[in-house]
Amino acid sequence: MRYVSTRGQAPVLNFEQAMLSGLARDGGLYLPETIPPFEGLDQLDGLPYEEVAFRVIRPFTGDSFTDEELRGAIDRAYARIAHDARAPLVQLAPGHHLLELFHGPTLAFKDFAMQLIAQLFQIALTRSGQRVTIVGATSGDTGSAAIEAFRGIDNVDVMIMYPHGRVSEVQRRQMTTPPAANVHALAVTGHFDDCQARLKDLFNDHAFRDHVGLAGVNSINWARVVAQIVYYFTACASLGMRPTDFCVPTGNFGDIFAGSIARQMGLPIRRLIVATNQNDILHRALTSGDYRMGEVEPTISPSMDIQVSSNFERALYLAYGQDANAIRQLMEELKQGGFSISQGALEALREQYVSGRVGEQETLDTIRDIRARTGEILCPHSAVGVAVAQRHIEPGVPMVTLATAHPAKFPDAVERAIGLRPGLPPHMADLFDLPERLTRVENDVDALKSLILERRTA
Ligand SMILES: *Cc1c(COP(=O)(O)O)cnc(C)c1O
């Protein structure tokens, strides 16, 4: 399978190359040239998660990994998810289901992709003898998932930038407490969007990129999107493969875009519902056709506090009929603050995406209400999803809301809603006793470059 950039000016790569590079050299994002239709939808019910993962992922990896390598990586990755179903589907109300994606080691859905790509990096780098420096930007959950997945993996240094003072204490500690010498938490003065912009600066400096073997594991990495396709399949298999709506708490548009790929592979997904908090650029774009950056407002669902939604570029590329020139032009306009989506592309987007926005009070009310009616405690991101899903439920069409994090990861918000601090699962009960290790750094690309050069072990 061949991977092309959304901006049309980067080399065409295979799966392994696209995975190891992350962002394309022209600033674009990699996508497969064509999406393979999935054969055997009716044979998935009752299979272990790992088997479904193998069947879904296999067509995308081409000849980058043997069947044995891929199966081994999947088995090792998901053995670390503390639930036999890996992604259990729990019923909330008639016709409304919650897909629990928070049973992994860092309690958020990001473990599903990160655990797998760490295993695939290990295989690829051991084979080639190459070393890489992974640099990531996180609003909290990507960074903890990356540090947890890559700690101790050979031939890899990991540097994670997060916005200082803007991640929850559990998120921060998950990044700052692992003692492995190859992982580093960098606290940047600024917002998540600043971290993401500096990350792009680093990748766009090709000399630096080649010198340190820069690799990216942000949600723009195609291999992460692929891993996230799998749970749409297991959810639909549990519901009998009938037309189903999915509601996805959305920030960088990675998780929901995986759903769109699943849909193109033939999975009976009817609508994909984008749920945002008050940082609602995606909701405004889908409603008005105008994609325009605003100011980031900190919320109780911090992993969705962004204004530029990186993976949306992939959805735009498909909506514009794979016209890379059009995407290059839009991204130029975005540098000036925003752009208008063409009528044709907007219609194509609205064929599959619906959207909704939820304020802080409604998020808290939803946590309280769902607890009272079902006993389930939602994290604030999942609550945003549930609130939007409730507006869109239609009789006869199952609704699946993705529960993206465990409530214990955001105890302050949950306590505000229900007066109770949810406890951490036993395997991380000592998180608050471990010593922390982090480095403060300015929102400045040169400061970051020197730090990376100094810390990497290669
Ligand atoms: C990352 C994250 C999101 C947003 O996912 P995207 O793929 O960036 O849209 C939502 N909720 C939680 C808990 C997250 O960690």
Side-chain angles (χ1 to χ4, degrees):
M1 176 156 303
R2 288 152 47 92
Y3 289 87
V4 295
S5 164
T6 48
R7 302 198 192 169
Q9 296 184 327
V12 173
L13 302 181
N14 67 19
F15 179 85
E16 178 179 324
Q17 293 162 331
M19 174 182 84
L20 291 176
S21 62
L23 193 67
R25 292 183 91 90
D26 57 3
L29 281 70
Y30 277 106
L31 265 178
E33 222 164 25
T34 54
I35 309 289
F38 186 86
E39 310 287 342
L41 276 182
D42 54 349
Q43 289 150 32
L44 300 179
D45 189 25
L47 293 181
Y49 188 90
E50 284 79 353
E51 179 61 31
V52 179
F54 177 77
R55 295 186 192 185
V56 169
I57 295 170
R58 172 77 280 190
F60 290 98
T61 54
D63 53 13
S64 291
F65 298 98
T66 66
D67 285 2
E68 291 66 36
E69 284 171 334
L70 183 59
R71 279 189 191 279
I74 288 171
D75 289 348
R76 286 190 297 280
Y78 297 133
R80 303 198 53 203
I81 296 190
H83 194 297
D84 278 357
R86 309 307 181 220
L89 195 62
V90 171
Q91 192 165 4
L92 278 187
H96 192 182
H97 307 263
L98 196 67
L99 185 60
E100 292 186 349
L101 302 175
F102 52 68
H103 296 282
T106 69
L107 309 180
F109 80 86
K110 306 233 168 37
D111 289 324
F112 277 87
M114 211 63 86
Q115 288 292 331
L116 180 62
I117 76 170
Q119 297 300 328
L120 296 177
F121 264 66
Q122 168 94 288
I123 295 170
L125 296 176
T126 304
R127 188 164 50 206
S128 69
Q130 203 187 337
R131 280 198 70 89
V132 297
T133 306
I134 290 175
V135 183
T138 186
S139 53
D141 294 329
T142 296
S144 47
I147 284 179
E148 169 60 35
F150 283 92
R151 67 185 164 83
I153 295 267
D154 301 329
N155 302 328
V156 178
D157 288 304
V158 180
M159 321 266 174
I160 298 295
M161 296 182 258
Y162 69 91
H164 179 66
R166 293 180 189 277
V167 299
S168 82
E169 186 172 3
V170 174
Q171 289 176 319
R172 190 192 70 235
R173 286 183 170 274
Q174 284 177 338
M175 292 189 276
T176 58
T177 56
N182 71 325
V183 297
H184 305 272
L186 313 181
V188 176
T189 311
H191 291 286
F192 170 59
D193 287 323
D194 297 318
C195 298
Q196 195 161 246
R198 294 299 77 73
L199 184 69
K200 288 204 170 169
D201 293 344
L202 292 172
F203 272 88
N204 289 333
D205 179 340
H206 292 174
F208 180 79
R209 177 173 178 163
D210 294 338
H211 178 62
V212 303
L214 209 56
V217 295
N218 259 53
S219 67
I220 50 181
N221 190 308
W222 172 254
R224 280 189 55 193
V225 176
V226 167
Q228 292 170 184
I229 299 171
V230 177
Y231 39 73
Y232 288 90
F233 278 80
T234 57
C236 282
S238 303
L239 293 170
M241 284 297 166
R242 41 197 176 121
T244 299
D245 290 339
F246 281 84
C247 184
V248 186
T250 296
N252 242 337
F253 212 79
D255 215 8
I256 195 163
F257 186 72
S260 154
I261 299 291
R263 191 173 185 268
Q264 289 171 67
M265 292 168 77
L267 198 65
I269 296 177
R270 199 180 65 142
R271 294 179 304 179
L272 288 160
I273 304 169
V274 178
T276 75
N277 64 24
Q278 62 203 43
N279 296 295
D280 61 350
I281 184 168
L282 288 165
H283 177 55
R284 283 183 284 116
L286 288 166
T287 316
S288 69
D290 199 33
Y291 187 85
R292 198 153 300 279
M293 293 186 269
E295 278 292 301
V296 184
E297 296 172 41
T299 71
I300 54 171
S301 44
S303 303
M304 296 163 24
D305 287 350
I306 65 162
Q307 278 300 342
V308 182
S309 189
S310 303
N311 276 291
F312 194 55
E313 181 170 336
R314 289 191 165 112
L316 285 168
Y317 176 76
L318 298 179
Y320 275 83
Q322 318 204 352
D323 179 354
N325 293 330
I327 300 305
R328 271 207 312 283
Q329 196 178 330
L330 295 181
M331 293 304 140
E332 273 308 309
E333 288 176 42
L334 184 59
K335 288 185 191 156
Q336 314 312 320
F339 55 79
S340 297
I341 303 170
S342 76
Q343 200 52 40
L346 190 58
E347 275 162 27
L349 288 167
R350 285 177 179 163
E351 253 166 47
Q352 56 176 323
Y353 298 110
V354 179
S355 66
R357 160 202 210 273
V358 182
E360 300 286 87
Q361 191 56 49
E362 191 182 351
T363 306
L364 292 168
D365 292 346
T366 304
I367 296 174
R368 188 176 315 116
D369 181 54
I370 292 294
R371 167 114 193 291
R373 293 200 297 172
T374 71
E376 179 96 16
I377 301 180
L378 299 173
C379 93
H381 309 78
S382 311
V384 167
V386 166
V388 173
Q390 285 173 339
R391 301 175 195 159
H392 289 279
I393 290 178
E394 283 176 26
V397 183
M399 171 71 75
V400 175
T401 299
L402 274 53
T404 51
H406 191 285
K409 211 162 179 183
F410 302 93
D412 296 338
V414 173
E415 186 174 23
R416 265 174 71 193
I418 61 171
L420 255 184
R421 288 181 85 74
L424 286 169
H427 68 90
M428 50 178 61
D430 61 352
L431 189 67
F432 287 87
D433 306 324
L434 300 170
E436 292 191 78
R437 193 168 53 97
L438 64 90
T439 308
R440 290 289 309 275
V441 57
E442 289 307 310
N443 175 20
D444 174 76
V445 70
D446 292 320
L448 277 161
K449 281 182 195 163
S450 358
L451 190 64
I452 291 165
L453 289 170
E454 176 196 315
R455 290 297 162 83
R456 83 197 174 99
T457 53

